[in-house]
Amino acid sequence: MIELEGVPELIDPVMVAAFEGWNDAGDAASTAVAHLEREWKGEVFAALDAEDYYDFQVNRPTVFMEDGVRKITWPTTRLSVVRVGGDKPRDLVLVRGIEPSMRWRSFCNELLGFAHELGVELVVVLGALLGDTPHTRPVPVSGVTSDAELARRMDLEETKYEGPTGIVGVLQEACAHAGVPAVSLWAAVPHYVSQPPNPKATLALLNRLEDLLDLRIPQGELPEDARAWQVGVDQLAAEDSEVAEYVQTLEEARDTAELPEASGEAIAREFERYLRRRDVPPGGKPRPPAAGGKDEDDGVGD
């Protein structure tokens, strides 16, 4: 670990991590963490030594000019910290980087050592995968953990997955063996429009993270970007009758499968998010609407 600054004193810290590469369809997960860094002005305080974990013929360094001096940026994983204000302030330790090329166990152990030093109480790893999901419907986001008690307490799925895995799965299991509570949130990205960016999937991951941690995340321009993305994909699909027919088939399958989701629990979850967006505790009085009479709204999906 290369420490860039002193280790900060944190309040109820949660580590939120995402890695570019195999676990990051449409760059949805890494963009979500980048959004948190940008909106909350995250300060990078540490980075892993790139020499230990990356093959530079796979992830090449880049050269840039700064004040007339040539410099090199090395592919690595960096840690930053942001403080979430409100009645109960807390800190998020944000981990953003590239899936390592080698020494995955050492990579995870180093991150967990730093999490222990910072007093991290929960690790949330974001990921995105390609799936048979239509772009016209809310993005499915599944929350999974290998801890049965944590699954019950946080209303998550206990993972039963078997097969190839990436750094997200390896880090989650490393957390389990170290006794650190860990959760993975996975967004499903339509496989027929997998190229990045996918702001709709990024927004869905952030919404689910909001629910999981019971906090409000500023959305910035993401809702508008998500709407524009969907309109663009709609137009592309309309130009190809085979694609349009395939999307309709996915819509019908999705709508049939998710009929049970129109439940009291799902409605309550959406209402709680609405209240949080208006800075209102459940049962409290809403704040006055913003200038122009418009409320902030996520506008797209879940």
Side-chain angles (χ1 to χ4, degrees), residues 68-116:
V69 179
R70 290 171 64 83
K71 295 186 176 182
I72 295 179
T73 298
W74 297 93
T76 188
T77 294
R78 294 178 173 84
L79 290 83
S80 61
V81 63
V82 299
R83 175 149 297 172
V84 183
D87 295 335
K88 295 181 179 179
R90 77 181 316 171
D91 291 306
L92 300 184
V93 178
L94 304 179
V95 178
R96 182 163 65 101
I98 304 169
E99 183 176 66
S101 307
M102 51 198 164
R103 302 182 67 219
W104 283 18
R105 285 176 291 186
S106 297
F107 179 88
C108 292
N109 288 338
E110 190 163 357
L111 284 179
L112 285 173
F114 218 72
H116 177 74

Side-chain angles (χ1 to χ4, degrees), residues 225-243:
D225 291 344
R227 283 189 287 268
W229 177 87
Q230 182 164 323
V231 169
V233 179
D234 284 343
Q235 293 172 347
L236 291 173
E239 295 171 1
D240 189 319
S241 60
E242 290 186 1
V243 173

Side-chain angles (χ1 to χ4, degrees), residues 26 86 125 137 142 159 169 174 224 232 275:
V125 194
R137 296 295 186 265
S142 58
T159 180
E224 182 179 345
L275 292 179

Side-chain angles (χ1 to χ4, degrees), residues 59 128 158 166 203 208 214 221-222 238 250 256:
N59 297 293
E158 187 178 356
L203 183 59
R208 186 62 187 274
D214 191 24
E221 297 179 356
L222 267 178
L250 292 178
T256 300

